[in-house]
Amino acid sequence: MSDSSAQQPPQYRPQSVAVPPHPVLPALRQEHVDVLLTEVPEPARRRYRPLAASRLWRSRAVRAGAVITLLALCGLVILVLVREQTGTQGFLVGLALATLPVPLLLAAFRWLDRVEPGPWRNLIFSFAWGACAAALIAIVANTFATRWIATATADPASADTIGATVVAPVVEESAKAAAILLIFVFRRRDFTGIVDGVVVAGFTSTGFAFTENILYLGSAFDEDQSSGTSGFASVTAATFFVRVVMSPFAHPLFTVLTGLGFGLAALGARRHRRLRRIALPLLGLALAMGMHALWNGSASMLGPWGFYAVYGAFMVPAFGLLTWLTIWTRQRELRTISDELPAYAAAGWMPAAESRALSSMRARAMARDFARRTYGPAAGHAVSEYEAFATSLAFLRRRAHRGAADPDFAEREQELLHHLWQRRQVASPSLAYADRATSRTPAPPPYRDYGGYNPYRS
């Protein structure tokens, strides 16, 4: 702590050059940790921000207020429309039953995002957009289109079939894709690859399915109340089984294809970015619409047996394939950390043990727990921030290697390195402990005596 050289970060060197080693950190005591944590800046002062075009729109409060107001108005209109169709009692029953799969789906998508967790504000926005704005657009547009087709063809039954298999997939997937597009454009720093696209799409589609399930389950309950049906033979039970038990992943599966398109577009080199940013999201959106149309058409055109055939032969394998692809991509993210951070360790920004520990989810969790138990919750939070900044740094360097770095690459890199340096004296002991505890430190082979022969002894 008394060494003045330990208080100043080293000069960044993009190449591997001879630099002084990372300073030896003394043993920490609780009073030292409290002093060190006061040097960490407030969240509002942590980011480098290019100037916005409008001084008014630069205000975070103004932007957040506009988005919250828009989504709240959409939510109120949705509430009125759904309650009008289901009745108060049907709405409450539908709300209770539709809530059941939501925590499981959100937890699954958040688990996929554990390597470089996206900001909660993006995920909350995505869920709210799907539940309020996208659902409102779908209800209004689908109703208008179906009525127009019925009037034009004088065939209400055919209008319902066309609406379910043609209109609904186009309208609903486009409305959900708008949330991914908004985050891709306005939160580009937080949208770095395939996993980000999958997670944003998953939260958006889960919110949309939540509102849609309230409508379907509430309407089924209202129908059962009118006919006096109850129990397992009721329409409510059948609707719950199909929509909540059998296919809670249906809407997420469709929209994840759009998210994959945006995620692949985010990975592209700058020289190809304009073409990829347009073509790949549109391709993903087209695939999402096609799969959605196949799913709806299997129920409305092929009958119950056709529905089960499409479900077993197509939907379940597609869901398994996308799940495998997402998990494999998450493992690639860990390999990116292990490949890119050693360059910063060689430049003196962190010890080599940290780059090893940061590439293991088990070691990262152990480091947070160790800091929390030893130095308190604030230290555990600082270690968590250190891990997040180091992960962002590794991904930033990987994008630069692919030729996909943004114009503010140097400023962003210096910003992340500065945040790491501010937290190093709290995070380094915890990560070093986790590295040793998970046996990630290379160990020499054990000594063996081959009958008195030893090649290292003359």
Side-chain angles (χ1 to χ4, degrees), residues 261-278:
F262 279 97
L264 291 172
L267 293 174
R270 292 189 61 82
R271 60 182 180 274
H272 301 141
R273 181 171 292 184
R274 178 169 297 182
L275 177 61
R276 293 170 65 103
R277 289 181 70 172
I278 297 174

Side-chain angles (χ1 to χ4, degrees), residues 188-203:
R188 185 65 184 84
R189 177 179 292 180
D190 302 326
F191 206 118
T192 59
I194 293 176
V195 173
D196 294 314
V198 168
V199 172
V200 171
F203 270 71

Side-chain angles (χ1 to χ4, degrees), residues 53-132:
S54 169
R55 183 176 297 276
L56 177 64
W57 190 248
R58 201 183 307 167
S59 170
R60 177 178 294 182
V62 172
R63 297 196 303 269
V67 172
I68 292 173
T69 301
L70 173 63
L71 294 178
L73 290 175
C74 292
L76 289 175
V77 176
I78 278 288
L79 178 63
V80 172
L81 292 177
V82 173
R83 182 181 174 277
E84 181 181 353
Q85 296 189 41
T86 63
T88 302
Q89 193 173 6
F91 172 78
L92 295 176
V93 172
L95 176 64
L97 295 178
T99 304
L100 295 178
V102 171
L104 298 177
L105 290 171
L106 296 184
F109 285 111
R110 188 60 177 173
W111 176 83
L112 290 174
D113 203 28
R114 283 179 61 201
V115 177
E116 189 187 23
W120 271 109
R121 63 176 179 271
N122 292 350
L123 303 182
I124 293 173
F125 165 78
S126 300
F127 182 86
W129 179 278
C132 301

